[in-house]
Amino acid sequence: SMAKLKRAVSCLLAAVMLLGMCMLVPAVSAAETADGLVYEETSGEITITGYTGMVEKVEIPAEIEGKSVTKIADMAFMASNTPNNTIIKKITIPNSVTTIGAGVFFGCSNLQEIVFPENVSIPSAASMFRDCVALQSITLPITLTEIGNSMFQNCSSLINVNFPSDNQIETIGRAAFQNCVLLSEIILPEKLRSIGTRAFEGCSNLTDITIYDKVNSISIDAFNDIPKEQLTIHGIAGSYANTFAI
């Protein structure tokens, strides 16, 4: 009958429209390179999501199958996405990468060196190098705006943190350098405004820290478990840091 036919046509139209809408959503397909980089492709761009290889020095290519590698996903090199993450010693990230996710190197216990791309955005640096117990020295990208919560927590070999001369870092988050037991001196960024709770807690060898005059907030427990007589806070006369030190 006509009513049934109309209903069938309208159902068919609805199905076609639905299909059309589905086609507007970019397809995501997971794949793996020959050397074990796990990736997804969305709208012709590649995101690295994990690694299954067994190589100590991981080099991320600028292109995979002719498509630009633009992102490293949250937690990409954590054990859940990179089962052998404890063997990695060095990761080189190409300049094609414009975004790096949170917690990306968490638990890479042998990581000693990271080569950052030039113009990378790091929306959240939380837990980025947490539990990277072999990391001794790091040069941070100039685009970084925060030392995120737990960013270097438990980095028990960390000695050098190099901030680029014109860096934009304004905050040091909660437990950012907690238990960095070999860190003995650090010059904080000039644009820094705040130092979070337990930021340097348990840094038992910290003797010298330089804090510039833009800082107007230092958590009362930022330097927990560091003997007061051991730590010298170098501040500019009359600054908040100078008053805090007294």
Side-chain angles (χ1 to χ4, degrees):
S1 75
M2 202 68 186
K4 275 187 182 168
L5 185 65
K6 274 186 180 168
R7 196 176 301 137
V9 170
S10 65
C11 286
L12 186 67
L13 272 173
V16 169
M17 282 171 73
L18 202 63
L19 194 68
M21 283 165 76
C22 290
M23 285 172 176
L24 293 177
V25 179
V28 175
S29 53
E32 199 173 311
T33 64
D35 47 8
L37 283 168
V38 183
Y39 66 92
E40 286 177 356
E41 183 201 321
T42 311
S43 306
E45 294 189 350
I46 301 285
T47 298
I48 302 296
T49 58
Y51 176 66
T52 60
M54 296 289 289
V55 181
E56 289 182 352
K57 294 181 178 178
V58 179
E59 286 212 27
I60 296 169
E63 285 190 349
I64 292 174
E65 291 188 351
K67 296 181 177 81
S68 190
V69 177
T70 58
K71 189 176 178 186
I72 297 173
D74 292 356
M75 306 181 290
F77 291 95
M78 266 179 70
S80 51
N81 296 311
T82 298
N84 309 310
N85 74 339
T86 58
I87 61 170
I88 299 171
K89 290 187 173 174
K90 179 181 179 180
I91 299 174
T92 305
I93 304 171
N95 284 335
S96 61
V97 170
T98 53
T99 312
I100 295 177
V104 65
F105 311 114
F106 189 161
C108 291
S109 55
N110 267 307
L111 187 66
Q112 292 166 16
E113 192 181 348
I114 187 92
V115 179
F116 283 107
E118 282 171 20
N119 294 309
V120 70
S121 161
I122 302 172
S124 168
S127 297
M128 185 172 232
F129 294 102
R130 188 173 177 176
D131 296 348
C132 290
V133 294
L135 189 69
Q136 295 180 12
S137 181
I138 185 89
T139 299
L140 295 168
I142 196 160
T143 48
L144 194 68
T145 57
E146 61 157 11
I147 302 295
N149 294 343
S150 302
M151 186 171 179
F152 293 101
Q153 190 176 13
N154 303 328
C155 288
S156 50
S157 299
L158 190 66
I159 296 166
N160 273 318
V161 182
N162 304 314
F163 301 104
S165 57
D166 195 26
N167 72 77
Q168 306 300 311
I169 294 165
E170 293 194 357
T171 59
I172 293 178
R174 182 184 69 245
F177 292 97
Q178 190 182 43
N179 301 328
C180 290
V181 293
L182 287 188
L183 193 65
S184 63
E185 56 184 294
I186 188 166
I187 297 169
L188 297 183
E190 289 189 37
K191 291 177 182 166
L192 190 72
R193 293 180 178 276
S194 66
I195 299 173
T197 183
R198 306 195 311 281
F200 292 92
E201 181 177 72
C203 293
S204 49
N205 274 302
L206 191 64
T207 58
D208 292 88
I209 187 164
T210 301
I211 303 175
Y212 285 92
D213 56 345
K214 281 195 170 64
V215 169
N216 55 25
S217 168
I218 301 173
S219 175
I220 194 80
D221 57 3
F223 302 103
N224 266 5
D225 303 332
I226 304 170
K228 199 158 185 174
E229 60 277 8
Q230 170 188 308
L231 181 63
T232 303
I233 295 175
H234 304 271
I236 290 160
S239 70
Y240 178 89
N242 192 245
T243 313
F244 178 88
I246 299 161

